[in-house]
Amino acid sequence: MTCAVEFFAGMGLMRAGLECVGINTVFANDIDETKAKLYADNWGREELHVGDIRALHGDDIPNANLVTASFPCTDMSLAGHYKGLNGSESSLVLDFLRILSEMDSRAPRTLMIENVMGFLTANDGRDWETVVSGIQKLGYHAAHIVVDASAFVPQSRARVFLFGHKGTFELPAPPKVRKDLRLESIAEEGGDWWPHDRLRAFLETLSPIQSKRVSRYQGRFWPGYYGAFRRTRGGRAVWEVRADEIAGTLRTTRGGSAKQAIVRAGRGDIAVRWMSLIEYARLQGAEQLRYDSVTPSQAMFALGDAVCVPVIEWLAKHCLMPLLLH
């Protein structure tokens, strides 16, 4: 049986992708109680250890073929002021390396670390080098690949995946971004579209460039669906609408764009509403999971902080399984 250990497991979307190819999770760790609740609802509590990774040691971890770590991205992004490994959250990846060191010869032969694109450039690339050299010192060869979720779902979500393997290896080319995916394909029918006053307030925040874009969308013969997100500019909230028909990167409420909205425009009409929980789930390839034990906001926070399931499934098929079976 091919087994995996997951650190920073979140609500379990890494597990969802790995199980698609028959990789079974034997241990999962996360500190967040809400995410752990979602994890337990969908996968059970048997393999789940809720607590601080800093309290774990090599002896606590069972034997496995694979170990994954989707360590906190906050300090690798604008939301964390790009503090990188100097930040209190993203620096937890060093505890992941510590645990592997403590496992010594029991450490899995293959590992996969996931994070935002800022992981490559934080602190002028020094943080990336620190982690890469750290896994190399543990006896792993290292290579990375960047995969955008828009190869599978209508969401722009580029992530870097760093692989380590105790043996030489090469990674395949990443899947190509699909131009045929549209936000309309995941949109719920109906929905709580904003009333006239709120719609007018939305339109009034648009910059001249954004307003021109939206007017062009309204003039199209076939209605289209577009992602919109709120940013702070000069101390005031402004809305930006994407220049394509997919969603921006789903994020937690701590992120720069936070909760997203959907704009439907065409044939002279326009409507706007918040994106729903089921739409968030569809954009992460996780529509089939349960979310009823937490609030919709909590579930959307967890989804925004998770991996995209079809991305993990592709990586498992094309990158991990060839290594695990080698």
Side-chain angles (χ1 to χ4, degrees):
M1 183 173 67
T2 305
C3 301
V5 167
E6 302 173 53
F7 289 96
F8 313 104
M11 63 173 290
L13 298 199
M14 178 69 75
R15 180 170 184 162
L18 295 178
E19 287 201 351
C20 289
V21 299
I23 299 175
N24 300 293
T25 296
V26 294
F27 183 91
N29 170 245
D30 202 279
I31 194 172
D32 188 284
E33 293 285 352
T34 300
K35 293 175 186 174
K37 196 171 198 178
L38 287 166
Y39 192 106
D41 285 347
N42 287 287
W43 315 107
R45 290 192 172 272
E46 185 176 350
E47 297 86 19
L48 180 61
H49 178 96
V50 183
D52 195 328
I53 188 175
R54 290 170 291 191
L56 292 174
H57 300 279
D59 290 343
D60 300 319
I61 313 304
N63 293 339
N65 312 94
L66 167 69
V67 60
T68 68
S70 294
F71 70 97
C73 66
T74 305
D75 301 310
M76 298 292 176
S77 66
L78 175 62
H81 305 288
Y82 299 107
K83 293 189 293 288
L85 297 186
N86 295 322
S88 60
E89 295 188 38
S90 294
S91 62
L92 293 175
V93 70
L94 301 179
D95 279 279
F96 166 71
L97 298 180
R98 170 187 59 79
I99 290 170
L100 290 182
S101 177
E102 292 170 354
M103 292 181 74
D104 197 19
S105 62
R106 289 198 311 110
R109 288 188 68 234
T110 304
L111 65 82
M112 184 174 73
I113 299 173
E114 177 267 350
N115 215 280
V116 297
M117 295 300 292
F119 182 26
L120 291 165
T121 56
N123 289 318
D124 296 322
R126 292 189 298 273
D127 292 349
W128 173 261
E129 291 300 323
T130 294
V131 176
V132 170
S133 63
I135 66 174
Q136 289 173 335
K137 289 175 182 176
L138 294 174
Y140 296 92
H141 289 83
H144 75 280
I145 188 173
V146 173
V147 181
D148 196 315
S150 58
F152 306 96
V153 294
Q155 178 193 181
S156 173
R157 191 183 189 87
R159 293 292 184 265
V160 58
F161 295 86
L162 173 60
F163 291 82
H165 183 65
K166 293 187 176 179
T168 59
F169 69 101
E170 293 184 3
L171 295 175
K176 293 182 179 180
V177 169
R178 288 178 54 182
K179 301 296 186 182
D180 61 323
L181 296 173
R182 299 287 184 272
L183 194 54
E184 181 180 8
S185 67
I186 65 91
E188 288 191 282
E189 292 187 13
D192 189 15
W193 298 99
W194 293 349
H196 177 74
D197 288 349
R198 191 169 188 179
L199 174 61
R200 183 178 61 190
F202 168 88
L203 295 172
E204 288 173 352
T205 73
L206 299 178
S207 68
I209 292 176
Q210 290 287 316
S211 183
K212 185 176 180 180
R213 176 179 294 166
V214 169
S215 294
R216 188 170 68 251
Y217 291 162
Q218 284 181 268
R220 291 181 176 176
F221 181 75
W222 294 108
Y225 289 71
Y226 310 90
F229 44 96
R230 189 168 51 187
R231 296 193 184 280
T232 301
R233 293 285 185 266
R236 62 186 288 263
V238 297
W239 281 93
E240 295 181 5
V241 181
R242 287 186 63 89
D244 51 30
E245 295 184 57
I246 66 175
T249 302
L250 298 182
R251 302 177 184 176
T252 66
T253 52
R254 290 179 296 180
S257 60
K259 190 176 178 182
Q260 293 196 44
I262 288 180
V263 175
R264 184 186 66 201
R267 295 182 179 176
D269 194 19
I270 184 170
V272 183
R273 62 169 171 79
W274 290 117
M275 195 175 287
S276 70
L277 168 57
I278 191 61
E279 289 163 344
Y280 260 55
R282 288 170 177 170
L283 288 171
Q284 290 287 56
E287 181 182 0
Q288 73 279 12
L289 299 186
R290 287 185 53 197
Y291 300 93
D292 52 337
S293 65
V294 300
T295 68
S297 293
Q298 288 173 325
M300 293 166 83
F301 184 102
L303 283 162
D305 211 20
V307 292
C308 184
V309 175
V311 169
I312 301 304
E313 182 179 358
W314 186 92
L315 290 165
K317 286 180 178 177
H318 298 278
C319 302
L320 291 174
M321 289 305 290
L323 295 177
L324 295 171
L325 296 176
H326 181 63

